[in-house]
Amino acid sequence: MPLGEIELWDAFSYDIQIWTKRMLRNCDVDIYVPGRGKVGGEYLFTIDSVHSDPNMINTSVAEVPSEHKQFNFGKLVNGQFFAQPNNRMLWYEQSLTPSELKTPDFKVASKYYFCEQDSKWVFGDSDEYFYKEKERK
C-alpha cells in the first residue's frame, strides 16, 4: 500500500516522545485505510508530537487540542508498517474486548484546560504558610 494510505499525516513537530501503551503492546488492531476499509495488524509503539521548550514560540500544531494526533506504529498482516492516529484504529485485547463491538461517539477535543484560569480566588494577600483563599473583589 502507498505511504499516504498507511500514514495519513506528516510530523506535527520536530520534538517527539516515543513510548508504548503497555497494556496494548502486541495487541491485534484494525486500522482504517482510505478506500480499503479495515486492515488488520499488530500495535508496536507510539510517537507523540510535543512542544518541549516553553522558552521558544510554538509554531507547530502539536499542542492544539483539535489537531493533536499520536502516531501509533504497528505491523500490518501484509508485513508493511503503519503510523495511524487513535481515531483511525481499533484495538483488540482478549480479556477486555467484548464479542460485540460498539463504535464510541467521541468528539474532537477543542478546548484548552488550565486550573489557573478561574479568577474567582486570590492567594497573594498572605505570607502565612497555611494560607486561606480570598474571593476576588
Side-chain angles (χ1 to χ4, degrees):
M1 287 183 268
L3 179 61
E5 292 181 6
I6 54 179
E7 180 182 354
L8 301 178
W9 313 109
D10 290 331
F12 295 110
S13 173
Y14 288 107
D15 300 306
I16 61 171
Q17 294 177 349
I18 300 174
W19 50 286
T20 299
K21 297 173 182 176
R22 290 183 184 154
M23 191 169 154
L24 300 174
R25 177 83 163 98
N26 300 113
C27 280
D28 290 337
V29 296
D30 282 334
I31 66 169
Y32 291 104
V33 178
R36 299 178 193 259
K38 292 181 191 176
V39 177
E42 175 186 358
Y43 167 73
L44 299 174
F45 62 91
T46 298
I47 292 181
D48 205 356
S49 299
V50 298
H51 179 67
S52 63
D53 188 346
N55 296 311
M56 292 177 54
I57 294 174
N58 182 2
T59 59
S60 74
V61 296
E63 296 194 11
V64 175
S66 61
E67 295 297 324
H68 182 88
K69 294 168 184 64
Q70 296 176 333
F71 295 91
N72 298 295
F73 276 72
K75 187 175 182 180
L76 295 174
V77 292
N78 70 1
Q80 284 185 282
F81 291 94
F82 66 85
Q84 291 286 313
N86 293 337
N87 65 327
R88 305 284 304 175
M89 297 179 63
L90 294 172
W91 279 271
Y92 300 97
E93 202 285 327
Q94 184 177 0
S95 64
L96 297 175
T97 306
S99 57
E100 185 177 328
L101 296 176
K102 297 178 182 176
T103 303
D105 59 351
F106 302 138
K107 301 288 184 198
V108 173
S110 59
K111 184 177 178 181
Y112 291 90
Y113 291 92
F114 302 98
C115 63
E116 296 181 20
Q117 64 190 8
D118 187 353
S119 62
K120 181 177 182 178
W121 308 111
V122 293
F123 300 95
D125 295 334
S126 175
D127 60 357
E128 295 178 19
Y129 185 77
F130 290 106
Y131 54 85
K132 303 278 190 225
E133 70 278 354
K134 291 185 180 177
E135 196 159 338
R136 186 178 301 279
K137 296 177 184 177

